Amino acid sequence: MRMRHSSWALCLVIFAHCCWGADFETSSEAETDSVLRLDSTDLIYHGIISETENTVEVSPVIRTKPGVKVCKYKITHNYHGTAPFEIRLKSNSTGEAEIVATETVNCEHRQHYKFDFAAVGCDGQVSKSGTIKVTVEDVNEYEPYFVGTSYVITVDEKRLYEKIVQVEADDDDCSPNYGDICKYEILTPDQPFIVDAEGNIKNTEALDWNKNRNHILSVVAYDCGMKRSKPVLVNIRVNHLCKPAWNVLHERVEYIPGSGKQSIFQSAALDLCDVTCDIEKITTTVTMNTEHIGKGCDRDTYSEKSQRKLCGTSDKSIDLLPSLQEGGAWTSNLPLDEGRESDQIYAFDGETNGIIIPKETLDHNLTNQFSIAMWMKHDSSSGSAKEHILCNSDDHKMNRHHYSLFVRNCRLIFLHRREYSASELNTFRAAEWRWKIPEVCDGQWHHYVLNADLPKIKLFIDGHEYKASEKNPEVIDDWPLHPAADIDTRLVVGACWEGSETKLNQYLKGYLGGVSVVVGKTETPAVISCLHACKENLDFSDLEDIESGSAVSFNSQLSQITLSGHSLEHFTKELHNVSYVNHRQFPTPGHRTIKLATDIRCVGKQIVTVPEVDLYVVVLQTDKPTITIKGTEHLSRGYSLIEGGVKIFGDVGITVSHDHNDEDEDAGVVDHKLDSCSITVESPHLDPDHEYFTVPTNLLNELGLDSQQTPEGLIITGADQVYNYEDVLRQVHYYNTKPAFYLSRTFKLHCSELNGRFMSNEHVAELSVIHSQAAVKPAIALNAQQSQHHVNSASYKESSKGLRDDSLVKDASSTPAAGNAVTVIIVVCIGFLVFMIVLGVVRIRATQQRQQVACEEHQEMSWDDSSLTITVNPMQV
């Protein structure tokens, strides 16, 4: 019973509690709906307003929670002074409001505001306060301005400064976007100054007091909104520093070709300023730099063979890299210098282009006495790889190098292996010479000559013999080559042939020119010097008037002159005598750099430094010569004369002229030399079976000229006077043992000067073949037997008329008639003529019934494949 009463009591307690709790929740919700609250969880608001606006953009939007009608908002608290804002109610039901400025806000005066506000309900309730932070956005209303009104600074001439002066600008805008300075600019054009973003001004080139004593710059500043300031003036004064220097020098000296010597320092004067110096010795070195001209300086652009002729060298010299004009077809694929202002050079890429020299060009046996000459430009980019300049090796089966000239590790190496000989099988002799010389890898042009009188070899570099030492060159001995049967050799320039693999290898990377070989003798030092000699140099005008105590010296190339003396006055006078001269008729135009370096030693060992001076000699472009060839353009010759040889250019004349101005009429006569003339035959090419040219061999030998007959015609090469070329051309004969094959032959002649730099006009001469009646008879007999030929009456009549012999017609008409005898002859002739016509008609009909066959037969008539033509002279029957 007690447990039953306890359960009922517990149930009553739980029921009472549930009823009381429900009443409590209902009363709480009713209370919440009647309380005024802002619709923001943390009661924090952010606002932004521009200086030019009066409404604040607020986030989140100011409003109240639903349930209480709002009548207004009020500012309950200001932080850091009064905030010029009011809160305007936009909706009573939602309590939405906006913040409006009551006066113009100014970022520069105050950028941030903070205040508390609360909503006031229509029932008098006041909500909890919210806090808002308002930021004033800047507007770029102010332009930058410089802190200083002007800037004046003094700097020394002849110096480059990291900073000459710093200009500074400011801006009153409050934000970094508009209040910071982002850029400075110099408005004054063409001034050697720049300014950076910090306002630092510096010069871009050394200032010169003589050119400008002060520089006035107009400088402006920009804020980060790119609003520009008013300019400020910056006055940079140049302080004159008097230092010893050469004055009154012309930076550019023009040289007119053919004008002889041109003074370079005609008005030069040395100013020592305030330097106190009792001169003990003054030395000046004048250096001319011409490395960019041709092969290091201006030289004649004649071919290697012509240049050797002019230097008086051996006529046995063989050019391994001749131009196409001289018949060097094997050089056609080599990259070369396309310019004609300087001599021809060939480029080797180190990978693909080696040139195999035709066997007939050079006997591969150099013997024990020979010379190898070349121009080479090479650098050190290839490292230790072996690069062949010239290589003679086995053509197949093996890779034996019989002789070779190559570069390796900046050494010039010549290999010469003796051929197999039973008597010298065990003889150990010199086989390899290794010269360690800087010229091989300096990237400049140099001229090399190897004079071999085995077992000794002399090396010449740039015209001078290399002085051998105990270890340079290094000489390596070796055995002779081992015997090998049925193996020939292959000569290559720019690589080496590997016979076992039948390919080129060990390519040269560099430039070559004038590669030539002389077999059986060596070049003389005089010839070697001539081959390297420059045509331009420095000169000294008056060596005889050098003052006592002064000295003048030259280097071997005449590209450097050194003057020394004790008197400044006399020394300056001697410098005026230094000149430039170019002996070429048509020098390479362009500039030559001249450097003037001076040292002054005073008594007491004081040294006065004079700045080095650079100036330029500019060689002007000369008038190009006009080479004109004139002569007979039409010739007619009979068979016998053509078979016996015809002078096609028997009266040829060659003239060389210049387009001089009137003031140049008194200019000296230019000594012109032609270096080649080519006679080409218009297609078809010469048939070697019955066509050829002959040249005056004795005259060519006397003049040192060469000739070469090709399928296209005849080439004559070698530098010589114009009148000598005229003599040779006038004695050239054209022979044709079968002249009946042609109606005519056309010959074209053109000549060149300086290896094709200047070309003549193309003179055309046409040789017409006169076909005599004597040649017609055998042609008729031959053609009458050929049934394949066609006959038509139209061509017959035309051909008969064309081959009429006027002399025969004249003789027949002038012969006296003798009655019946004449009549009988006429009747017989007419009868024979009728018979021939009938025969021809029969043949035509027979031919039309058969298949027509075309054939080509050699004919002794002037027409080639025309129909059969029969010409009958009744008086010859």
Side-chain angles (χ1 to χ4, degrees):
M1 288 297 291
R2 287 182 179 177
M3 290 185 65
R4 184 179 296 177
H5 288 297
S6 297
S7 300
W8 278 106
L10 180 60
C11 291
L12 289 173
V13 171
I14 293 172
F15 176 76
H17 175 74
C18 292
C19 292
W20 179 86
D23 292 340
F24 177 80
E25 289 179 1
T26 303
S27 63
S28 178
E29 289 177 2
E31 182 182 354
T32 300
D33 293 340
S34 63
V35 175
L36 181 62
R37 292 185 300 169
L38 294 174
D39 189 17
S40 175
T41 304
D42 56 2
L43 300 179
I44 299 298
Y45 296 84
H46 298 278
I48 298 175
I49 184 172
S50 173
E51 288 182 316
T52 58
E53 298 176 353
N54 59 2
T55 302
V56 180
E57 294 182 8
V58 182
S59 177
V61 176
I62 298 175
R63 60 167 61 96
T64 59
K65 291 186 178 294
V68 179
K69 189 175 181 179
V70 179
C71 284
K72 67 176 182 178
Y73 284 86
K74 67 177 181 178
I75 297 176
T76 60
H77 178 70
N78 285 299
Y79 297 86
H80 310 297
T82 303
F85 300 99
E86 65 178 6
I87 304 175
R88 294 178 181 177
L89 182 64
K90 297 174 67 177
S91 173
N92 297 97
S93 60
T94 62
E96 184 175 346
E98 64 178 1
I99 299 177
V100 180
T102 58
E103 61 184 52
T104 303
V105 292
N106 192 328
C107 176
E108 289 73 36
H109 179 260
R110 186 174 176 180
Q111 190 174 6
H112 301 285
Y113 294 91
K114 181 179 180 181
F115 57 88
D116 296 338
F117 68 94
V120 179
C122 294
D123 59 359
Q125 291 188 66
V126 178
S127 70
K128 288 185 179 181
S129 295
T131 301
I132 184 169
K133 297 178 182 178
V134 179
T135 300
V136 181
E137 276 193 339
D138 189 21
V139 176
N140 197 6
E141 55 194 311
Y142 297 102
E143 67 180 23
Y145 60 89
F146 283 93
V147 176
T149 57
S150 64
Y151 299 84
V152 179
I153 190 71
T154 301
V155 297
D156 293 335
E157 64 174 346
K158 312 297 184 185
R159 283 187 58 188
L160 285 174
Y161 290 85
E162 285 299 319
K163 183 177 78 171
I164 294 177
V165 64
Q166 183 178 19
V167 295
E168 183 180 358
D170 205 350
D171 195 302
D172 289 335
D173 287 302
C174 67
S175 66
N177 288 339
Y178 304 123
D180 290 349
I181 304 301
C182 285
K183 175 184 174 183
Y184 292 90
E185 180 183 8
I186 298 175
L187 299 181
T188 309
D190 302 326
Q191 291 293 327
F193 300 94
I194 58 174
V195 59
D196 61 18
E198 302 300 323
N200 297 309
I201 297 176
K202 67 178 182 179
N203 56 326
T204 58
E205 62 183 54
L207 304 181
D208 190 344
W209 182 85
N210 293 314
K211 294 181 179 179
N212 206 335
R213 300 187 181 186
N214 70 320
H215 299 264
I216 299 176
L217 310 178
S218 178
V219 183
V220 294
Y222 295 85
D223 62 22
C224 294
M226 291 296 105
K227 178 168 279 190
R228 195 174 82 174
S229 71
K230 292 182 174 62
V232 68
L233 295 181
V234 180
N235 187 359
I236 301 176
R237 297 173 178 173
V238 182
N239 183 34
H240 179 50
L241 298 178
C242 185
K243 295 181 179 179
W246 287 102
N247 296 326
V248 201
L249 285 176
H250 298 288
E251 185 179 1
R252 173 189 171 102
V253 178
E254 293 187 349
Y255 181 81
I256 301 174
S259 61
K261 299 178 182 179
Q262 172 66 54
S263 176
I264 305 174
F265 311 103
Q266 191 167 6
S267 56
L270 181 60
D271 185 4
L272 293 179
C273 296
D274 300 328
V275 176
T276 302
C277 176
D278 184 7
I279 297 177
E280 180 180 342
K281 186 176 182 181
I282 179 171
T283 304
T284 288
T285 301
V286 181
T287 305
M288 178 176 65
N289 183 4
T290 59
E291 292 178 353
H292 62 291
I293 304 295
K295 296 173 183 170
C297 71
D298 217 0
R299 295 180 173 87
D300 279 331
T301 59
Y302 292 112
S303 66
E304 183 69 17
K305 185 173 293 186
S306 296
Q307 189 65 44
R308 287 179 170 276
K309 175 179 178 292
L310 294 174
C311 288
T313 184
S314 171
D315 56 359
K316 296 181 179 180
S317 172
I318 299 172
D319 189 359
L320 299 184
L321 292 179
S323 64
L324 285 173
Q325 188 177 1
E326 295 182 310
W330 58 91
T331 64
S332 59
N333 294 326
L334 277 179
L336 51 83
D337 179 12
E338 296 293 345
R340 292 291 187 176
E341 302 298 335
S342 57
D343 40 3
Q344 198 166 72
I345 59 178
Y346 297 92
F348 293 83
D349 60 12
E351 297 178 356
T352 60
N353 51 351
I355 298 301
I356 299 175
I357 307 301
K359 180 72 174 179
E360 63 274 9
T361 302
L362 173 68
D363 184 353
H364 292 184
N365 181 17
L366 293 181
T367 71
N368 288 331
Q369 194 176 43
F370 56 87
S371 284
I372 299 175
M374 65 176 180
W375 284 95
M376 184 175 70
K377 180 180 179 181
H378 181 269
D379 58 30
S380 58
S381 60
S382 300
S384 61
K386 184 183 288 188
E387 301 175 74
H388 274 92
I389 303 164
L390 182 69
C391 180
N392 185 43
S393 58
D394 292 335
D395 65 342
H396 69 291
K397 290 185 180 180
M398 294 185 288
N399 292 330
R400 299 179 307 165
H401 292 193
H402 296 251
Y403 58 82
S404 62
L405 180 63
F406 58 93
V407 174
R408 188 175 189 179
N409 288 328
C410 291
R411 288 170 170 82
L412 184 66
I413 303 174
F414 180 67
L415 170 71
H416 188 277
R417 299 288 303 279
R418 286 171 295 134
E419 297 298 327
Y420 169 76
S421 174
S423 60
E424 297 185 356
L425 183 60
N426 297 318
T427 305
F428 206 53
R429 290 185 182 178
E432 189 171 314
W433 293 259
R434 302 174 180 175
W435 290 272
K436 186 178 181 180
I437 48 180
E439 289 85 353
V440 171
C441 289
D442 65 1
Q444 304 297 329
W445 279 106
H446 296 286
H447 186 246
Y448 303 87
V449 177
L450 272 69
N451 266 357
D453 192 356
L454 297 179
K456 295 182 179 180
I457 295 182
K458 292 182 179 180
L459 173 65
F460 290 78
I461 305 175
D462 294 333
H464 301 279
E465 182 179 350
Y466 176 76
K467 302 300 181 183
S469 62
E470 182 179 354
K471 295 184 179 180
N472 197 6
E474 180 185 3
V475 182
I476 308 299
D477 295 335
D478 205 346
W479 308 104
L481 291 172
H482 54 275
D486 300 326
I487 292 182
D488 204 348
T489 57
R490 183 162 291 180
L491 183 63
V492 179
V493 172
C496 196
W497 180 259
E498 291 188 354
S500 63
E501 301 182 15
T502 62
K503 69 174 186 178
L504 292 174
N505 201 358
Q506 299 174 347
Y507 292 92
L508 171 70
K509 184 177 182 180
Y511 301 87
L512 293 177
V515 180
S516 60
V517 177
V518 177
V519 178
K521 61 178 299 185
T522 58
E523 299 284 18
T524 65
V527 168
I528 295 173
S529 177
C530 175
L531 291 174
H532 177 264
C534 291
K535 289 293 185 177
E536 60 180 341
N537 58 269
L538 298 175
D539 203 347
F540 191 84
S541 301
D542 203 347
L543 288 172
E544 297 180 357
D545 290 342
I546 297 177
E547 297 291 334
S548 176
S550 299
V552 178
S553 60
F554 300 81
N555 69 346
S556 60
Q557 309 299 323
L558 300 181
S559 61
Q560 187 177 85
I561 296 180
T562 301
L563 308 175
S564 61
H566 307 288
S567 167
L568 179 59
E569 179 183 356
H570 293 158
F571 181 85
T572 305
K573 180 181 177 182
E574 290 168 359
L575 184 64
H576 293 170
N577 289 329
V578 175
S579 58
Y580 168 84
V581 63
N582 196 312
H583 302 284
R584 287 190 66 189
Q585 298 173 10
F586 306 100
T588 303
H591 74 278
R592 278 72 165 159
T593 303
I594 306 294
K595 292 185 178 295
L596 179 65
T598 304
D599 291 322
I600 302 175
R601 188 173 69 213
C602 307
V603 176
K605 297 186 178 180
Q606 177 188 359
I607 303 297
V608 177
T609 302
V610 180
E612 188 176 271
V613 177
D614 287 351
L615 52 87
Y616 303 93
V617 172
V618 179
V619 179
L620 302 180
Q621 179 79 50
T622 186
D623 293 331
K624 293 184 178 181
T626 301
I627 307 174
T628 305
I629 304 176
K630 293 183 179 180
T632 301
E633 298 180 356
H634 299 282
L635 301 91
S636 297
R637 298 290 186 271
Y639 288 2
S640 60
L641 293 179
I642 296 176
E643 292 171 352
V646 179
K647 294 181 179 179
I648 304 297
F649 305 104
D651 60 349
V652 70
I654 305 175
T655 58
V656 183
S657 60
H658 293 263
D659 295 330
H660 290 300
N661 297 326
D662 294 340
E663 58 268 22
D664 296 333
E665 289 180 357
D666 296 333
V669 177
V670 180
D671 183 22
H672 290 278
K673 289 184 175 68
L674 300 180
D675 57 10
S676 73
C677 283
S678 298
I679 301 173
T680 57
V681 181
E682 198 171 72
S683 183
H685 293 160
L686 292 176
D687 188 332
D689 290 338
H690 56 267
E691 285 184 292
Y692 58 93
F693 288 100
T694 63
V695 295
T697 305
N698 292 336
L699 181 58
L700 289 179
N701 293 336
E702 180 182 342
L703 298 176
L705 301 179
D706 294 321
S707 65
Q708 180 183 5
Q709 191 157 187
T710 67
E712 292 80 14
L714 177 69
I715 302 174
I716 301 172
T717 57
D720 215 316
Q721 304 293 338
V722 174
Y723 55 81
N724 285 333
Y725 263 91
E726 288 179 334
D727 289 344
V728 171
L729 291 171
R730 290 168 184 170
Q731 298 182 51
V732 172
H733 287 73
Y734 164 73
Y735 287 84
N736 190 336
T737 58
K738 296 181 180 180
F741 282 11
Y742 306 99
L743 287 173
S744 64
R745 280 303 241 165
T746 300
F747 304 88
K748 298 178 180 179
L749 170 65
H750 65 269
C751 299
S752 76
E753 183 175 5
L754 293 178
N755 201 22
R757 182 178 174 187
F758 306 119
M759 299 295 296
S760 72
N761 64 308
E762 186 176 74
H763 173 63
V764 179
E766 183 180 15
L767 173 63
S768 298
V769 180
I770 301 176
H771 296 274
S772 63
Q773 191 64 35
V776 176
K777 287 183 177 181
I780 295 175
L782 175 65
N783 292 335
Q785 299 174 9
Q786 308 299 323
S787 61
Q788 292 88 348
H789 283 261
H790 308 293
V791 178
N792 62 68
S793 57
S795 62
Y796 168 80
K797 293 178 180 178
E798 183 178 353
S799 300
S800 298
K801 180 179 178 181
L803 291 175
R804 181 178 299 165
D805 192 328
D806 293 336
S807 62
L808 293 177
V809 173
K810 180 178 179 182
D811 291 342
S813 60
S814 60
T815 304
N820 295 333
V822 175
T823 302
V824 172
I825 293 174
I826 292 175
V827 171
V828 172
C829 292
I830 293 174
F832 181 75
L833 179 59
V834 171
F835 169 76
M836 293 301 296
I837 292 174
V838 172
L839 179 62
V841 172
V842 172
R843 287 182 178 276
I844 290 174
R845 290 179 178 178
T847 303
Q848 291 175 347
Q849 295 173 1
R850 297 192 303 265
Q851 180 182 2
Q852 299 188 5
V853 180
C855 66
E856 296 181 359
E857 297 288 344
H858 287 297
Q859 302 179 28
E860 306 239 345
M861 302 296 291
S862 59
W863 51 90
D864 294 330
D865 291 329
S866 59
S867 300
L868 178 62
T869 303
I870 303 174
T871 303
V872 178
N873 188 338
M875 300 303 297
Q876 293 183 344
V877 178

